[in-house]
Amino acid sequence: MSNDRVYNVLIVGVGGQGIILASDVLGRAAALHGYDVKKNEIHGMAQRGGSVSSHIRFGKTVSSPIIKMGEADVLLSFEQIETLRYFPYLSEKGKVIVNDQKILPPAVFTGKQEYPPDVLDKIKEKVPDAVIVDGAAVASKIGNPRVANVIFLGVMSKYLDIPAETYEAVLKESLKPKLVDINLKAFHEGRSLA
């Protein structure tokens, strides 16, 4: 641990995108690195497709698992509209990492609403240096579409004070042995995209 600051990381998306696994790995890596860690999750109504958010706070001493509005150092979003929904949590100097993926909500499927056509433009207007990655394309290139969440964990790791080796150790402990190699590859591919 190199300083006394508290890091506030907000990971958001919809059910089924691996948000909870990504936040668990981050929390465990932070704890393994010696930080005090507090974490909180909010799941949407549906197991798949509902909004999911995970607050992860770590530092020398952390008293609450909830990130206040305007205090997130990193907003990692697995879905475009979810990025806009959680922008109020981002600090003025916060980093935004976005999966270039649209998951249509039920109201769009039924034709009651339209998916906004310019979400990425709105994100770039608010945060010009936002990191936008086509997670599905990168995951397909690696050979497994289910590792997108670990790709984004790799991207995010470049902005936090936790060594890559610590994430690797947690991934090895957390995954079935047959999934370790592909997820380590995904993690390092993500780091190369930051």
Side-chain angles (χ1 to χ4, degrees), residues 48-59:
R48 289 195 177 271
S51 183
V52 176
S53 65
S54 183
H55 295 227
I56 306 103
R57 303 186 71 224
F58 56 92

Side-chain angles (χ1 to χ4, degrees), residues 8-12 40 42 53-55 65-75 82-96:
N8 297 309
V9 177
L10 181 58
I11 303 177
V12 302
N40 184 25
I42 299 172
S53 65
S54 183
H55 295 227
I66 304 298
I67 299 170
K68 295 179 183 174
M69 294 281 188
E71 294 189 358
D73 299 300
V74 176
L75 171 59
E82 294 299 312
T83 314
L84 297 179
R85 181 193 315 262
Y86 287 95
F87 256 138
Y89 284 92
L90 190 65
S91 76
E92 289 184 13
K93 295 182 179 179
K95 190 70 186 174
V96 174

Side-chain angles (χ1 to χ4, degrees), residues 86-175:
Y86 287 95
F87 256 138
Y89 284 92
L90 190 65
S91 76
E92 289 184 13
K93 295 182 179 179
K95 190 70 186 174
V96 174
I97 304 162
V98 181
N99 185 4
D100 180 13
Q101 183 175 15
K102 296 177 183 175
I103 296 179
L104 305 182
V108 173
F109 272 122
T110 60
K112 292 180 180 175
Q113 294 180 346
E114 290 184 23
Y115 196 97
D118 54 353
V119 176
L120 292 180
D121 292 338
K122 290 177 181 173
I123 292 169
K124 285 293 218 178
E125 283 174 17
K126 291 179 182 266
V127 184
D129 69 343
V131 177
I132 300 172
V133 175
D134 185 343
V138 177
S140 292
K141 184 181 87 175
I142 290 172
N144 187 333
R146 298 185 62 144
V147 298
N149 60 338
V150 178
I151 291 167
F152 283 97
L153 187 66
V155 174
M156 182 175 61
S157 72
K158 294 288 276 192
Y159 303 101
L160 300 173
D161 187 20
I162 301 171
E165 297 78 21
T166 307
Y167 291 96
E168 292 171 0
V170 173
L171 286 169
K172 289 174 184 174
E173 290 175 5
S174 304
L175 300 168

